Amino acid sequence: MSSYKDTSAWLKTKLPKQPQIAVILGTGLSNMAEVFPLLYSIPYNQIPGFVQSTAPTHKGNLLLCEVEGIPVIFLQGRFHYYEGYSMQEVVFPVRVLSALGIKVLIVTNASGSLRKELEPGTIVQLQDHINFMGTNPLIGMNDDDLGERFPSMNKVYDPELCLLADKVAFDLGIKTAKGVYIAVTGPSLETKAECSAFASWGADLVGMSTVPEVITARHSGLKVLAYSIVTNYSNLFHNLAHSQEEIQRIANISGKQLQKLIAELILRLTRTFSLTS
Ligand code: HPA
């Protein structure tokens, strides 16, 4: 397997501009990047060290786009632990981003709601998370070039970024909620008993991604902001099977709003937030 440093050095020679912001696009959200002028695009299968995205709607491309003149990397799709990849493979793209000089990582996903008020379609800004995957991407020898052995996960979602994003959402009239995300491995969906346990622990949303990427990003000092689109109620509230089509349909609709929010946020970020700090 190629090292993240080799892959990053290789990508640097291809990218026409040096980005400082990256966005990971989750289930049903890949299209979000396609409205922005494209500077460069490469399928994951041509990037050394990247595995294949097998999840539905995860397109598997790295794009460099210009958002209002600012170069931004979009990862169209991610790797999940449930696909059978190792944690090292799942978080490899984040390590490459960090070596590329990315300072701010915006992560998106789709999730199931554990709270009645968080209806399908709601855009939720993550305030915190619970890692219930039973593993951690930082297990193994610590790479001191990336970060310390025991990185803090206090204020894991950057408070300043969250506040700025709230202001942007308010100005655009986009309604967002706040919540705590619990990550499970999947691919089986949660039982009712699991959902009530998660809700009693303080989780508002459940999903199968994001947390490994966020832990890895924080390990190497990236500032992280994350949004989840509630695509379904968890089975705390019903006994129906989840329809993948319905999940994608809802992610697509709310994804359009989230896209506006992220585009405006990127613009304001470069004006008000010291990306070089
Ligand atoms: N559970 C886990 N992951 C999910 C869900 C869910 O209900 N919805 C979208 N991703």
Side-chain angles (χ1 to χ4, degrees):
M1 183 170 162
S2 175
S3 82
Y4 71 87
K5 285 182 184 165
D6 291 344
T7 299
S8 146
W10 177 85
L11 257 181
K12 253 185 198 156
T13 65
K14 312 243 168 223
L15 297 179
K17 285 192 178 169
Q18 162 76 53
Q20 290 194 306
I21 302 172
V23 186
I24 300 180
L25 299 172
T27 301
L29 296 167
S30 279
N31 295 341
M32 188 191 284
E34 285 165 9
V35 298
F36 303 116
L38 185 67
L39 297 174
Y40 174 77
S41 155
I42 184 164
Y44 289 169
N45 63 13
Q46 291 176 23
I47 306 178
F50 273 47
V51 289
Q52 288 298 301
S53 179
T54 68
T57 80
H58 288 246
K59 289 193 175 171
N61 298 306
L62 180 151
L63 311 180
L64 182 71
C65 297
E66 221 161 21
V67 181
E68 315 279 353
I70 300 145
V72 178
I73 286 190
F74 288 92
L75 293 182
Q76 286 186 310
R78 54 158 57 88
F79 311 126
H80 302 81
Y81 194 53
Y82 69 71
E83 292 174 88
Y85 296 126
S86 68
M87 270 294 163
Q88 297 313 311
E89 289 169 324
V90 168
V91 301
F92 184 80
V94 177
R95 295 204 160 123
V96 172
L97 292 177
S98 139
L100 268 179
I102 294 294
K103 302 280 185 270
V104 170
L105 181 66
I106 302 171
V107 187
T108 65
N109 66 38
S111 63
S113 169
L114 298 163
R115 243 174 55 203
K116 195 86 206 183
E117 320 82 90
L118 298 178
E119 296 171 1
T122 310
I123 299 172
V124 184
Q125 187 192 70
L126 301 195
Q127 302 301 290
D128 208 340
H129 68 229
I130 298 171
N131 178 13
F132 195 62
M133 291 184 125
T135 184
N136 189 301
L138 306 182
I139 288 175
M141 279 270 284
N142 186 53
D143 183 336
D144 296 332
D145 290 344
L146 283 171
E148 55 189 295
R149 173 74 288 188
F150 300 108
S152 166
M153 289 294 134
N154 202 12
K155 297 186 180 157
V156 60
Y157 300 93
D158 190 83
E160 259 189 281
L161 271 177
C162 288
L163 193 66
L164 182 62
D166 284 345
K167 286 189 188 141
V168 171
F170 178 82
D171 291 348
L172 296 179
I174 296 174
K175 224 176 120 221
T176 63
K178 292 178 190 280
V180 173
Y181 177 93
I182 184 163
V184 294
T185 63
S188 57
L189 286 154
E190 309 71 40
T191 64
K192 220 182 245 310
E194 285 163 347
C195 289
S196 35
F198 298 161
S200 78
W201 296 346
D204 305 305
L205 306 167
V206 57
M208 302 174 188
S209 69
T210 300
V211 167
E213 295 153 4
V214 171
I215 291 173
T216 305
R218 289 301 303 132
H219 178 235
S220 51
L222 274 68
K223 293 184 175 170
V224 178
L225 175 74
Y227 279 101
S228 187
I229 291 181
V230 175
T231 50
N232 55 279
Y233 274 126
S234 72
N235 62 11
L236 264 187
F237 308 111
H238 61 79
N239 293 305
L240 307 169
H242 300 271
S243 140
Q244 275 305 315
E245 292 71 35
E246 184 62 3
I247 286 181
Q248 277 157 39
R249 193 183 68 79
I250 298 199
N252 276 323
I253 297 170
S254 297
K256 295 205 170 67
Q257 294 282 90
L258 188 53
Q259 172 191 312
K260 279 193 209 146
L261 199 165
I262 290 177
E264 179 64 19
L265 173 69
I266 288 169
L267 187 66
R268 293 215 208 157
L269 252 180
T270 51
R271 285 195 203 137
T272 58
F273 206 77
S274 172
L275 283 174
T276 44
S277 68

